[in-house]
């Protein structure tokens, strides 16, 4: 059982066929090698770590004995660690001779065509994302409709005859079965498709390579999974996963091929590198948001706020374009589906309905109330996050087998159904069934004829519809106790649900919780104030509460404001929503981070924040860098290269190329930087000096060869190099990046950080005053430092 | 008359008391030195320019003979030039020892306090900007109201009695007088306050130092100027200048002192450097947009789209906060002014009014129409820009004396009044005076009793009100001929007006033109289609037309979409507006650049775009850089430093510090970079090695001394250095930036550009493989290359 943690960790499955024993206990304390790290680190000064971090940088298949020694039931978790498992993406072009030659050959028209094809790709991304959203929406509507119809008929049958427990069992059974299907495909086929995918996309845009995150298989599992979990009645939304889906679509379309399907369309070959791909993934994420909420501008802002660091005007417009197309496509096809072709009135998956102009006004003296609601949202959000944090740690420790995960998901589904049923059963909140009632499945239950159970509106419905009825149902549709009990139960249900091994988002449950207590708040206000009329619309407070709760959980401000404004279709509430989100963020941040950040941290991802920690000016590149560095000569022996690449204990990905070193002790002068992936392509094509001499007619290696291998470069083990070939020489001049960015040893950490982050680097070479290589700074070296409670803290690196 | 071009060029007044003859003819061709440059350049290859550009980098008081030789009436303009007059701002911190020591001394709490004070500053910026907007609005309303009342009474008096020409003269006279006042203060006191100020703020955020652009005096002149020009009836808006005003407020508040008022509050001293100041100026510009349009999110996007290059989440939130506060302040005070305290219904200076939910729907088959309108807007916008471009060149050549400029402004004011009068006079479009008519000054003129002249609604009104009535007046309020004639005349009037020496924006006139032809378009559609009802609302088409026209002129997309959505208070039109803006931009860009970019180019500003030209990979740092470079030793003789700084023919601002050079021919190894401003402070405080030795009790120079001198460092001429002192030595080690970013000679231009732009550098040192300084890349070296019609073109550098 080497796959103990396989399903828990995002990147549990290696990208490449790795040697046996790849799965390693998530963190140290499990004995063996991991423990030895922690012992080494425990008494370590900065320098020691500096030295050590070279040894265990980058992914490293765990020592063989590991899995033999310990097969723990419980995996202790220590969040003061940084995983060495995640590789970085290279958002800085390797401008080697091949690349420059190609660029120089290209005419102005060539660049124009490239630019146009970028727009075409963005249009395709938008269309496909819109179609996926459309598909999810229609399938969920039908499945959920079918389910509720069956249960409703059953309940109605047994209401008078007695034996409602049968209905309960039917409901719980239906939910569990549907959720089980969703959980099984996620847990067994593609664990990375679990959750909303937003943390993963955040990491991807930040420059961390999360294995398998943008694969076609992930998309398929994600889409099926989200359909099952929403139709299965879990407290989840289908909006978050749309963002991930959009990103996968973008990564696929922009490459003009599918590695999974082994189909290469031979188009968009220029875009086969990390830099270009990232830009399209931003566009895809934006298109996803846009389709989910009908918020194209919000999508762009989401992409920028959560992802991009370098704001480029042209890129932003393309992202915007993709977002527009996505909403439009969704709108268009949904209008056909609803037989209202041409009426573009379904802007997104979630439609908050239109707020009437009369009821949307607010007054100055309501602003303190909004701020209070924001603070409340921040508090509740922090509580939610803390609970979910503990739960996630529990899950990491104990629920790491796929079958356990599926069982947990089924349990949650059954409990959700049971709780809902109990709520509806014990509720005595009967409301008259109006003519224009938007309830799709009004449950009469024990109410008088012509009335329906109001608790059922909230529970016996898809969450999207519940949100809408909380916003728009006329005053008096809900009793305060109904709302209070609903808030309480749904809060814990949603908290339990997030982090299950199903594809699901947290947006809608958050909105629902917030809308419930917001409406409650509004009703209470109307009770205690003498004014009467101005407080008459609890829907307004429901909206503010929804914003506060969501803001308190995810802690976005700018993009969320725009998303909510676009989703409600009314900017009058723009200012209150902003205020509320800002307050919720400030209050919430006082206690704990946002939900996504918590999950990123729990995975020990080397995530780079916007700036270096404030008090890190005392550190310089010398202390931060890894050293000594493995370097290559300009013309290097093939044997040496193969040996270095095969060395599993180092497993570096970038190698400075230096001028020939006479004395081994003295570091060489830097003259370039070459990547593992490039070396592997060179070895595969056997680009040896001797060969080019002997066989002049051999085809020269082109950029195309590198692009064809991107992004799944074969592992070094798969490349056979004979003993003769090991004696050959390889000339790296043409393939290395001759102008890597360098810094001197005295450069302060914030300065290094700024350079690294702004340019999206993967390797930054540290040189001395003679331009000799003395160290290498990678993502992990920078992400290690963070501001803790006691000032600057240093995370330990570990093979989690 | 050395100040021939003084008023034409943005930066005509030097920031420092410069030697006589500072004003130089705007461009070459005027004879003398400038001509000699162009001759040298004409046959130059890249290398030659590389060498030459060292000599004339940075601001250079023009040769003395210049003003003696030529005093041309006509100043030929050549836009293929890049001015050497503009200095750069330093958006990269100089992390010298003093700075690092201070940062290291600071505790975590210190950084928290700093962060809080940043928020406080943003709040202050928001409040002050909101108050200024409020002031402008109230004064303009009252002044314009008074004016229209007087004229209306006069017209009514003469309508029946005959002698309307007296009314015309009165109108023209009133307009001219008010405009004259505005033009005089701008032309004579602060020419930089002319126009909307948006191009200047764009340049500032880009990193170009436009002299006097963020001074208090500029703000005062701007505010008074805009009041005069709007009240004077010109075809201008008061929204553009708000952006400039917000930026000035931000630059002032954040520094905690006013150099003009000689008042230092001793607060916010930490923010006295370019980097911090820029961040606040972004916030100020956003607050300005927010106050102008009631669009806080739009403001943030404007700031980002037009200015910032590095997107930082915390910064964005602060900007957002400033925007929110600004709208809120404006709202609050306007609600008090309008006696509706607490009703926050005046979100911005321009209020488009509320679009009813019923009339805002659009249908799929309207989308092609929207796209057509977008294309039309793009065409008309391009026409506007081309006409304005020619006009501006004409102005640069012939209208460069302040008195001429004032006269032109008066002429335009009189012509505007005359044209308006004629239009109203000859119009026979009478409309019944409804009960709920929003017309403030309905002119009956020759209409029957109970009717009013509909042309007067458009002309006899502030432009803001005209826009609103075009959007919201019921169908049938305007005859098609009225709208057609109005569009035509207003188009030319607005085009003539933009670029006058008055403070005025182009947003509102553009919206007005667009709204007019959009409404016309809507009416025509209703005529030719059989459907009837769906086309019934010409207000919708007026809005789309307004968006198209504005987009065609200024070419913003994302921020403008949000601004318009926020200003109309309705997101239903979000998608059509996006489509229209995108189309307008694509169509317009085919012909000519956006209006702001044209004006930036006409000023020969070394503006850095988002990316290096596509086909510039063939160039490397070696070809781009200036060389040889003036370097200093770590310990340098004071005399040498003074001589270099006083050398007016070079006037460099950044000097690499190198290790002692034995052989003069061989360049030294880089060990730091020091700025002119730092050297000047050192010289002023006489920080000489000998002195520190002899007088040990002397106060050590602190960062505070540099901050006190910021941003107006004294010129070298004002610092007296005795002959004895010239023999002293200065140790630069502590003050230089010891870790400047460097690149090697082989680095390609796009790579250099990316580094330079992403980090906001001012000087980038080019080194060889031995780390010896071989060149220096500055803003002008990069801005020189641009994509022309025949591929990559190189601009010439000139002392314009």
């Amino acid at each position: 059982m080497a796959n103990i943690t396989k399903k828990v960790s995002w990147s549990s499955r290696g990208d490449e066929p790795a040697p046996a024993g790849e799965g390693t206990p998530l963190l140290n304390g499990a004995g063996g090698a991991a423990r030895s790290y922690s012992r080494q680190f425990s008494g370590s000064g900065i320098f020691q770590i500096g030295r050590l971090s070279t040894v265990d940088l980058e992914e490293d298949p765990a020592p063989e004995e590991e899995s033999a020694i310990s097969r723990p039931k419980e995996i202790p978790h220590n969040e003061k660690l940084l995983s060495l498992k995640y590789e970085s993406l290279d958002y800085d072009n390797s401008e080697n001779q091949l690349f420059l030659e190609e660029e120089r050959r290209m005419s102005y028209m060539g660049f124009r065509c490239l630019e146009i094809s970028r727009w075409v790709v963005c249009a395709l991304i938008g269309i496909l994302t819109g179609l996926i959203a459309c598909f999810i929406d229609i399938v969920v509507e039908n499945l959920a409709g079918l389910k509720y119809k069956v249960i409703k008929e059953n309940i109605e049958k047994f209401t008078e005859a007695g034996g409602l427990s049968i209905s309960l069992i039917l409901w719980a059974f239906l939910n569990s079965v549907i959720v089980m299907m969703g959980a099984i495909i996620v847990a067994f086929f593609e664990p990375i498709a679990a959750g909303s995918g937003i943390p993963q996309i955040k990491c991807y845009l930040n420059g961390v390579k999360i294995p398998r995150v943008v694969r076609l298989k992930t998309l398929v599992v994600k889409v099926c999974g989200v359909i099952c979990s929403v139709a299965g009645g879990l407290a989840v939304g289908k909006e978050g996963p749309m963002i991930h889906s959009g990103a996968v679509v973008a990564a696929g379309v922009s490459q003009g091929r599918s590695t999974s399907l082994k189909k290469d369309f031979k188009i968009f070959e220029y875009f086969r590198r990390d830099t270009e791909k990232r830009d399209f993934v931003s566009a895809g994420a934006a298109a996803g948001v846009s389709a989910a909420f009908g918020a194209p501008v919000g999508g762009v802002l989401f992409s920028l706020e959560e992802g991009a660091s370098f704001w480029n005007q042209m890129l932003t417009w393309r992202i915007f374009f993709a977002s527009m197309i996505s909403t439009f496509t969704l709108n268009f096809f949904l209008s056909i589906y609803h037989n209202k072709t041409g009426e573009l009135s379904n802007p997104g998956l979630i439609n908050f309905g239109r707020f009437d102009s009369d009821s949307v006004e607010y007054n100055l003296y309501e602003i303190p109330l909004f701020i209070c609601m924001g603070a409340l949202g921040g508090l509740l959000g922090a509580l939610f996050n803390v609970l979910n944090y503990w739960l996630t740690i529990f899950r990491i420790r104990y629920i790491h087998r796929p079958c356990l995960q599926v069982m947990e998901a089924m349990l949650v589904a059954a409990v959700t159904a049971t709780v809902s049923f109990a709520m509806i059963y014990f509720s005595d909140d009967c409301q008259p069934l109006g003519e224009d009632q938007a309830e799709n499945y009004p449950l009469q239950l024990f109410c008088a004829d012509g009335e329906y159970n109001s608790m059922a509106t909230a529970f016996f419905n898809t969450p999207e519809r519940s949100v809408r009825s909380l916003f728009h149902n006329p005053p008096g549709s809900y009793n305060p106790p109904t709302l209070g009990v609903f808030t309480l139960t749904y809060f814990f249900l949603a908290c339990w649900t997030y982090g299950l091994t199903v594809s699901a988002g947290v947006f809608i449950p958050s909105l629902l919780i917030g809308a419930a207590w917001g409406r409650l708040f509004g009703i209470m206000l109307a009770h205690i104030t003498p004014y009467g009329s101005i407080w008459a619309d609890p829907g307004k407070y429901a909206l503010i509460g929804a914003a506060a709760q969501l803001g308190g959980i995810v802690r976005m401000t700018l993009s969320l404001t725009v998303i909510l404004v676009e989703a409600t279709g009314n900017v009058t509430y723009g200012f209150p929503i902003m205020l509320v989100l800002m307050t919720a963020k400030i209050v919430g941040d006082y206690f704990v981070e946002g939900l996504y950040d918590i999950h990123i941290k729990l995975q020990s991802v080397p995530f780079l924040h916007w700036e270096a920690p404030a008090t890190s000016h005392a550190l310089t590149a010398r202390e931060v860098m890894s050293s000594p560095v493995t370097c290559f000569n300009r013309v290097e022996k093939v044997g040496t290269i193969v040996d270095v690449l095969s060395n599993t204990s180092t497993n570096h990905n970038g190698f400075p190329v230096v001028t020939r070193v006479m004395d081994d002790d003295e570091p060489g002068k830097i003259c370039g930087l070459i990547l593992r992936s490039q070396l592997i392509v060179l070895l595969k094509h056997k680009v040896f000096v001797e060969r080019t001499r002997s066989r002049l007619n051999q085809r020269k290696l082109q950029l195309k060869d590198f692009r064809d291998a991107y992004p799944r470069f074969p592992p070094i083990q798969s490349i056979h190099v004979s003993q003769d070939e090991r004696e050959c020489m390889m000339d790296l001049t043409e393939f290395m990046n001759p102008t890597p960015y360098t810094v001197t040893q005295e450069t302060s950490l914030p300065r290094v950080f700024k350079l690294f982050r702004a340019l999206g680097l993967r390797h930054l070479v540290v040189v001395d005053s003679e331009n000799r290589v003395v160290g290498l700074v990678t993502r992990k070296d920078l992400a290690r430092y963070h501001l803790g409670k006691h000032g600057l803290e240093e995370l330990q690196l570990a093979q989690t």
Side-chain angles (χ1 to χ4, degrees), chain A:
Chain A
M1 282 297 291
N3 58 354
I4 289 170
T5 60
K6 207 167 164 182
K7 309 308 173 214
V8 181
S9 161
W10 285 355
S11 63
S12 48
R13 297 188 171 191
D15 218 9
E16 299 145 16
E22 70 163 314
T24 53
L26 188 63
L27 288 172
N28 75 344
R35 188 140 57 205
S36 79
Y37 283 120
S38 81
R39 213 176 298 135
Q40 279 177 308
F41 283 128
S42 58
S44 72
I46 288 161
F47 267 92
Q48 208 179 342
I49 287 172
R51 255 188 296 116
L52 278 171
S53 56
T54 324
V55 185
D56 41 49
L57 261 171
E58 311 293 344
E59 187 168 344
D60 179 358
E64 294 283 329
E65 79 264 53
E66 180 78 29
S67 52
I69 294 173
S70 60
R71 212 177 287 167
K73 276 276 174 224
E74 177 185 338
I75 303 175
H77 183 81
N78 178 355
E79 62 181 297
K80 299 269 178 228
L81 286 174
L82 208 57
S83 173
L84 288 169
K85 194 177 48 189
Y86 296 102
E87 289 181 28
S88 281
L89 292 163
D90 215 335
Y91 289 158
D92 178 50
N93 276 342
S94 173
E95 292 204 339
N96 56 21
Q97 279 186 32
L98 293 180
F99 177 80
L100 285 176
E101 273 166 24
E102 192 195 75
E103 295 279 312
R104 282 167 194 165
R105 263 200 313 273
M106 257 167 94
S107 66
Y108 179 57
M109 275 317 290
F111 284 103
R112 284 299 282 264
C113 290
L114 216 52
E115 187 61 27
I116 291 169
S117 59
R118 284 198 188 102
W119 285 87
V120 171
V121 170
C122 282
L124 286 175
I125 292 170
I127 293 171
L128 286 175
T129 308
L131 284 177
I132 288 174
C134 194
F135 173 75
I136 292 179
D137 196 50
I138 293 174
V139 174
V140 165
E141 283 292 310
N142 285 323
L143 255 182
L146 197 68
K147 190 188 80 173
Y148 286 121
K149 218 175 126 206
V150 169
I151 298 170
K152 186 171 185 274
E153 279 167 8
N154 190 281
I155 289 179
E156 277 165 4
K157 201 172 92 190
F158 285 108
T159 303
E160 294 186 25
L164 268 176
S165 52
I166 295 172
S167 302
L168 166 61
I169 291 169
L170 175 74
W171 190 353
F173 174 77
L174 278 179
N175 270 12
S176 297
V177 168
I178 302 178
V179 169
M180 187 188 71
M181 289 190 301
I184 283 176
I185 51 173
V186 171
F188 287 93
F189 293 102
E190 197 51 278
I192 196 78
S196 71
I198 295 179
Q200 285 90 335
I201 295 304
K202 253 183 104 159
C203 290
Y204 184 93
L205 293 177
N206 192 263
V208 184
K209 188 171 183 174
I210 309 284
R212 313 177 66 78
V213 76
V214 288
R215 295 236 180 133
L216 184 62
K217 191 173 156 194
T218 311
L219 177 64
V220 173
V221 170
K222 189 115 213 168
V223 169
C224 299
V226 77
I227 289 172
C228 291
S229 42
V230 176
L234 289 179
V236 297
K238 56 191 187 300
E239 281 69 19
M242 268 320 297
I243 297 165
H244 191 172
S245 305
V248 181
V249 166
V253 169
S254 65
Q255 302 300 297
R257 69 172 165 195
S258 164
T259 327
S260 310
L261 301 179
K262 302 217 173 12
K263 178 99 188 117
D264 191 339
F265 294 97
K266 307 268 179 206
I267 46 170
F268 307 141
E269 290 179 334
Y270 187 86
F271 303 143
R272 293 181 188 170
R273 49 188 155 121
D274 286 343
T275 328
E276 297 277 351
K277 200 168 164 184
R278 171 198 53 179
D279 290 352
F280 290 114
V281 168
S282 317
V289 175
S290 170
F293 300 97
V297 179
V300 176
L301 285 177
F302 175 86
S303 236
L304 290 165
E305 190 170 333
E306 296 295 315
S309 58
F310 186 70
W311 167 284
N312 179 318
Q313 215 174 20
M314 283 312 287
L315 170 62
T316 315
W317 286 333
R318 281 201 300 273
I319 295 180
F320 190 35
F321 183 66
S323 295
M324 272 170 52
I325 298 283
S326 159
T327 321
F328 180 77
T329 309
L330 177 67
N331 256 311
F332 181 68
F333 284 98
L334 280 188
S335 76
I336 292 178
Y337 175 74
H338 293 304
N339 285 324
K340 295 179 200 161
T341 312
E343 269 188 32
L344 306 179
S345 51
N346 292 291
L349 289 186
I350 170 85
N351 187 348
F352 289 154
R354 179 167 290 154
F355 279 83
D356 282 336
S357 299
D358 305 331
S359 66
V360 294
E361 269 158 20
Y362 63 94
N363 214 311
L364 187 64
Y365 47 81
E366 288 183 84
I367 284 180
L369 289 175
F370 294 154
I371 291 176
C372 290
M373 290 180 79
L376 185 57
L379 278 175
L380 287 176
L383 181 65
F384 187 98
N385 291 1
V386 168
L387 291 178
N388 193 268
Y389 169 76
W390 289 337
L391 189 64
T392 309
I393 288 188
F394 177 85
R395 282 191 179 128
I396 289 174
R397 286 195 188 159
Y398 301 103
I399 311 177
H400 36 67
R401 286 166 204 265
C403 43
L404 276 179
Q405 293 173 340
V406 172
M407 279 163 62
E408 194 201 3
M410 287 172 67
L411 178 67
V412 174
V415 168
T416 307
T418 314
V419 169
S420 310
F421 190 85
M423 290 290 144
I424 297 172
Y425 187 83
F426 292 112
S427 155
D428 52 357
D429 184 5
C430 292
Q431 300 287 343
L433 199 59
E435 288 273 311
D436 56 341
Q437 216 65 51
E439 317 309 324
N440 281 43
Y441 320 106
L443 269 187
Q444 188 182 350
L445 217 63
F446 303 120
C447 293
D449 283 349
E451 292 192 333
Y452 70 98
N453 187 308
S454 131
M455 185 64 106
T457 320
F459 271 119
F460 198 68
N461 228 334
T462 54
E464 281 87 357
R465 283 180 194 278
S466 309
V467 172
R468 217 182 322 165
S469 56
L470 282 170
F471 284 169
H472 294 293
N473 278 9
S477 302
Y478 295 91
N479 279 348
T482 311
L483 289 172
V485 171
F486 177 79
T487 304
L488 209 67
T489 47
Y490 211 81
F491 184 89
F492 290 106
L493 278 179
C495 190
W496 190 10
T497 310
Y498 189 79
L500 279 185
T501 315
V502 293
S503 300
V506 77
F507 270 76
I508 296 299
S510 310
L511 287 173
L512 193 47
I513 298 165
W517 65 254
R519 200 177 170 101
L520 181 63
F521 191 90
I523 294 174
M524 307 286 259
L525 272 179
H527 274 293
I528 60 169
T529 52
Y531 302 91
S533 72
I534 188 73
W535 314 100
D537 188 52
K540 172 165 66 176
Y541 287 92
L543 175 63
I544 298 293
Q549 183 67 48
L550 184 52
I553 290 174
V554 300
R555 308 285 162 76
M556 300 189 286
T557 54
L558 188 60
S559 53
L560 204 50
T561 307
V562 179
I563 289 174
L564 288 176
V565 163
E566 288 188 294
T568 52
N570 200 307
V571 295
T572 319
Y573 283 150
F575 184 71
I577 289 176
M578 278 175 228
L579 261 187
V580 157
L581 289 177
M582 203 72 104
T583 318
K585 181 175 165 61
I586 292 169
V587 172
D589 277 351
Y590 182 78
F591 298 102
V592 67
E593 287 175 283
L595 190 60
Y596 300 138
D597 292 316
I598 287 178
H599 279 258
I600 287 173
K601 217 174 204 175
L602 279 173
Q603 293 294 339
S604 306
V605 175
F607 190 86
L608 289 186
H609 291 276
W610 296 95
E611 280 173 346
T615 54
S616 62
H617 269 100
L619 292 171
T620 65
R622 185 186 285 116
E623 284 118 33
V624 169
M625 71 189 184
S626 320
S627 99
V629 186
T630 317
C631 297
F632 289 127
N633 288 317
R634 225 177 233 278
V635 180
E636 185 62 87
K637 230 178 89 183
V638 172
T640 317
I641 293 177
V642 172
D643 288 345
V644 168
L645 292 187
S646 312
N647 185 348
T648 49
S649 76
T650 55
N651 217 321
H652 293 306
N653 278 297
F655 305 92
V657 179
V658 294
T659 48
R660 184 174 286 281
V661 187
M662 288 303 150
D663 181 4
D664 253 358
D665 285 351
E666 188 166 310
K669 271 206 170 65
I670 182 150
C671 62
L673 181 79
I674 197 153
L675 300 174
R676 168 182 288 263
S677 56
Q678 294 173 321
L679 288 171
I680 284 185
V681 174
L682 293 183
L683 286 173
K684 203 173 133 202
H685 288 84
K686 309 217 179 293
V687 187
F688 306 144
V689 175
E690 286 73 9
R691 296 205 171 217
T692 39
R693 271 183 207 150
S694 58
R695 291 191 286 166
L696 275 171
N697 57 350
Q698 197 190 6
R699 187 177 69 88
K700 200 176 154 246
L701 204 64
Q702 286 177 332
L703 217 48
K704 195 182 167 306
D705 299 301
F706 292 93
R707 285 181 183 152
D708 283 346
Y710 177 85
R712 305 193 202 172
F713 296 101
I716 181 71
Q717 288 80 3
S718 73
I719 292 169
H720 180 71
V721 179
S722 71
Q723 206 56 40
D724 276 3
E725 286 170 344
R726 285 182 64 90
E727 296 304 315
C728 290
M729 300 299 277
M730 243 161 72
D731 186 356
L732 307 178
T733 314
E734 214 177 337
F735 309 104
M736 70 186 186
N737 176 1
T739 52
Y741 294 113
T742 58
V743 289
T744 58
Q745 299 174 75
E746 289 77 30
T747 315
S748 70
L749 175 57
R751 207 170 165 80
V752 172
F753 195 98
K754 195 179 165 198
L755 180 69
F756 203 91
R757 182 83 166 87
L759 300 180
L761 300 185
R762 185 172 177 190
H763 302 97
L764 179 59
V765 184
V766 182
V767 295
D768 64 8
S769 64
E770 302 287 323
N771 250 341
R772 287 178 303 219
V773 177
V774 292
L776 197 65
V777 174
T778 58
R779 170 174 290 271
K780 282 124 195 168
D781 301 317
L782 296 176
R784 254 188 313 165
Y785 299 95
H786 81 129
L787 266 185
K789 276 175 194 145
H790 314 291
L792 199 64
E793 288 177 358
E794 208 181 320
L795 300 175
Q796 296 170 6
L797 301 174
Q799 308 286 352
T800 62

